[in-house]
Structures are given as structure tokens and as C-alpha cells.
Amino acid sequence: MRGKGPTEASRPMGSGLRSLKLCPFILLPGLSLSSCSGSHSALDPAGPEASYVAHLFFVMLFGGIVIWIAVVAALIYAARKKRVHSEESAGRIILWCGAILPTLVLGALLSYGLWMMPAIRPWVPDEQQVRRIEVTGEQFWWRVRYLDEAGEVMFETANEVRIPVGEPAHFSLRAADVIHSFWVPSLGGKMDMIPGRTNPLTLTADRQGTYRGVCAEFCGQSHALMAFTVRAVQPEAHETWLAERRASKPLDAEGLAVFLNNGCGACHAISGTAANGRIGPDLTAFGERGTLAAGALPHTTEDIARFVADPGDIKPGVKMPHFGMLPEDDINKIAAFLKELK
Ligand SMILES: [Cu+2]
């Protein structure tokens, strides 16, 4: 059998293999192109910082393709020609293709990257960074604080950031426990959040929209479930929202009582109530959020109830105890109460 041509049985398999080999060439670009647009793509920039990142990517992609074609062409040429090089000509090839050319290419790329750096990471003097937004990475959610002109905290929220369109938003990035990384692909590059440090980051959204951000540094069991939302709204709408957030609102007293009686207020704050815990996300405007538990679930009353009953089931390693032992009725009341917090 060995050494003979393909048998009847092996032929279909051979053609199957051939189409399998083609598969990555069709599938990979298809798959990667399908993720090029949308609220979570560095290739669909929504601001100047992100545009530079995308630009750098395409320049590198183009350069990479040119070099790859040249290398493959050289390889094919070398494989076909059975020429034996003299030691001198081999040395010249190594010098040019192995040292001089890479140095030139990498030097050009480095200069280009350095030239672009001020645009990608605009440096804004401290005194111009008024009204900063302080974002703290926590396992596995985001604490968001809006500061006023004097740098005092106006109010706190979580897992969602609002910025005005067309105006630079200045972030102060911190970490409470381990290293996290703040990344909104549509708006700009990543910035690490390091315990004990405050890293500044300025991002501008030049079109209105909702953008998704993620934690880009492995930070524990539920790292992959640590997302957030950036909403870029018109500056006037932003001002109205800031004012609204500072005003107090009437609350459903019965729901609040169930919330407080079950100890939720030890870790969560709801402004204007006895709930003033600081361990978990501030829930004052919880009903406004588009997602639940840092993007882990949709924001529906059922999902809130499910999360409260067993948060560890949805986010492994979560720092919230489970409340499955509470009567279902209480959990549903709490969920309905929280959903209405605006
Ligand atoms: Cu993280």
C-alpha cells in the first residue's frame, strides 16, 4: 500500500483537507473585519486620540504586508535557485537584510511613533484639567467620581462615565486593590491603573454615542466581566445631568426599608439615605445604568434579582456576599426598587 497513489477512500479526505487549509484565509479576515466597527473597536475611532491609534495600526499593517511579501518572495527565490553563495556575498546579504534593513525599518517606525505620541497622549497642564473624572479600578468594577473645579468630589457613581461631546475629558485613573487597565478602544489607547498612583488620561469623543470600555489588565477571576460604558452627550445635556445628579430625589420608602433592613447599605450608598457604604458601587443613580455589575448582565429587574441572590454565580470571586437566603419576595422588592433609582 505504501508509496502508491491516493486510494479511493483517501481522495475525498484530501480534498476536504485542502478546503480546510483555505479556511483560515477566508475565515480570519472575515472574522476580524466583522469586529472593525461598533461601540468597541479601535478601528472605528470616535475621537482624535483613537484616530491616531487607528492610523498607526494601518501604517504598520501596510508596512508589515510589504515586508512579508518581500520576505516570501526572497524565500521562494532562494528555494528555487540552487546557487551557492560565496562567503563574501553571504556576508553581504546578512549585513544588509539582517542588520541594515531592519534597523532602517524599526528606526523609521520608532520616529513615526514618537512623532505621534503627543497626539495620542495629549499632555494637559494640571491647572487646565478642571472638572476631572476620577475612575478607580476595583475587583471587578469601576468607581467613578466627578470632581468640581476645586477638585472636590461632587458625587460618585459606578460602571458608567458620561462625558460631553467635543470637549476633552480628563481622567484621573487609580486602583484600589490590584493593577487594572482603563481602555475605551473607540476613544483611545489603554492606561494602567496602579495602586498608589494616579495616572492622568485625556480623551475626547467627537461624536455622540455610547462606547464600551474594558479592563485590559488581568486582575482576577472575573477580569473578563469588568466592563464599563462611556456615554458621550451634548455639552448642554451633560450640564443638565450634572445638576440633576446633585439634586435629591424622592424614593420609594418601602423598597428602601427592605434594602436597608437586609444590610445592603453597609456596602452600598444611596445619596440622601442611611445607606452610605463605600465598599461596593454607589447605587444612587443605579436605574440609569445600561448594564448591571460592570457589563456582566443586562439591566433588567429579573437580572438584578438574580444577581443579588447569587452574585458569585455570575461573577466568580465577586466581593459581594450572596443573598439567596432572603425571601424571594424581598429580593424582588429590592430589585424593583433599585431599577427605579434615577
Ligand atoms: Cu480589572
Side-chain angles (χ1 to χ4, degrees):
M1 283 296 280
R2 261 161 140 233
K4 283 192 185 151
T7 60
E8 280 304 309
S10 73
R11 219 171 283 138
M13 200 183 145
S15 62
L17 270 181
R18 211 167 305 133
S19 56
L20 252 187
K21 272 188 211 148
L22 277 178
C23 230
F25 294 101
I26 299 161
L27 265 184
L28 280 180
L31 273 181
S32 42
L33 282 178
S34 70
S35 50
C36 282
S37 60
S39 68
H40 184 192
S41 170
L43 302 182
D44 186 13
E49 291 83 13
S51 299
Y52 279 103
V53 175
H55 199 243
L56 183 60
F57 169 78
F58 284 115
V59 167
M60 286 179 70
L61 180 70
F62 178 75
I65 289 174
V66 170
I67 291 173
W68 183 76
I69 290 175
V71 169
V72 171
L75 193 72
I76 292 172
Y77 175 78
R80 291 242 170 115
K81 283 251 170 167
K82 296 253 158 30
R83 208 176 106 197
V84 178
H85 285 275
S86 68
E87 209 166 291
E88 195 190 337
S89 91
R92 249 198 325 268
I93 293 175
I94 291 173
L95 175 70
W96 277 97
C97 300
I100 296 176
L101 200 67
T103 309
L104 287 178
V105 169
L106 292 178
L109 204 57
L110 179 68
S111 324
Y112 181 62
L114 287 176
W115 170 77
M116 206 174 244
M117 205 119 92
I120 291 182
R121 281 284 137 82
W123 183 78
V124 187
D126 270 2
E127 58 279 9
Q128 276 176 37
Q129 295 200 21
V130 285
R131 303 224 290 191
R132 280 183 227 213
I133 305 173
E134 189 188 283
V135 183
T136 309
E138 314 238 356
Q139 282 174 318
F140 303 96
W141 59 283
W142 312 82
R143 187 188 294 277
V144 183
R145 288 185 172 135
Y146 292 79
L147 310 185
D148 63 12
E149 278 81 357
E152 297 295 317
V153 179
M154 290 195 283
F155 58 89
E156 184 175 315
T157 156
N159 302 332
E160 209 169 278
V161 184
R162 279 198 197 217
I163 58 171
V165 173
E167 290 174 18
H170 308 293
F171 293 98
S172 292
L173 304 177
R174 298 155 47 127
D177 32 43
V178 297
I179 301 179
H180 302 268
S181 178
F182 181 92
W183 188 30
V184 193
S186 311
L187 297 181
K190 301 166 187 175
M191 178 65 90
D192 272 5
M193 305 170 111
I194 301 166
R197 271 190 69 101
T198 301
N199 283 341
L201 178 70
T202 297
L203 296 175
T204 312
D206 47 17
R207 53 186 155 90
Q208 199 169 321
T210 304
Y211 307 106
R212 189 164 179 271
V214 289
C215 177
E217 181 75 50
F218 181 73
C219 61
Q221 266 181 302
S222 279
H223 157 69
L225 295 171
M226 181 169 170
F228 63 104
T229 307
V230 176
R231 280 180 206 253
V233 296
Q234 290 305 329
E236 311 81 64
H238 188 64
E239 287 306 319
T240 318
W241 178 77
L242 286 176
E244 255 174 36
R245 284 272 60 84
R246 279 174 288 176
S248 57
K249 301 206 184 68
L251 294 173
D252 162 27
E254 197 199 332
L256 177 64
V258 187
F259 181 85
L260 291 175
N261 289 342
N262 287 303
C264 314
C267 293
H268 295 287
I270 298 176
S271 142
T273 74
N276 58 3
R278 290 267 153 248
I279 293 167
D282 186 295
L283 297 177
T284 307
F286 173 72
E288 253 185 14
R289 312 220 227 285
T291 62
L292 167 65
L297 286 175
H299 202 279
T300 68
T301 315
E302 296 74 51
D303 287 302
I304 299 170
R306 196 153 71 86
F307 180 77
V308 172
D310 196 355
D313 183 41
I314 287 138
K315 292 183 87 164
V318 77
K319 304 240 164 106
M320 168 164 157
H322 66 98
F323 285 90
M325 66 294 192
L326 298 187
E328 214 181 305
D329 197 35
D330 276 10
I331 292 188
N332 290 338
K333 267 190 199 146
I334 292 177
F337 162 71
L338 291 177
K339 178 81 189 148
E340 288 311 308
L341 288 178
K342 296 256 159 90

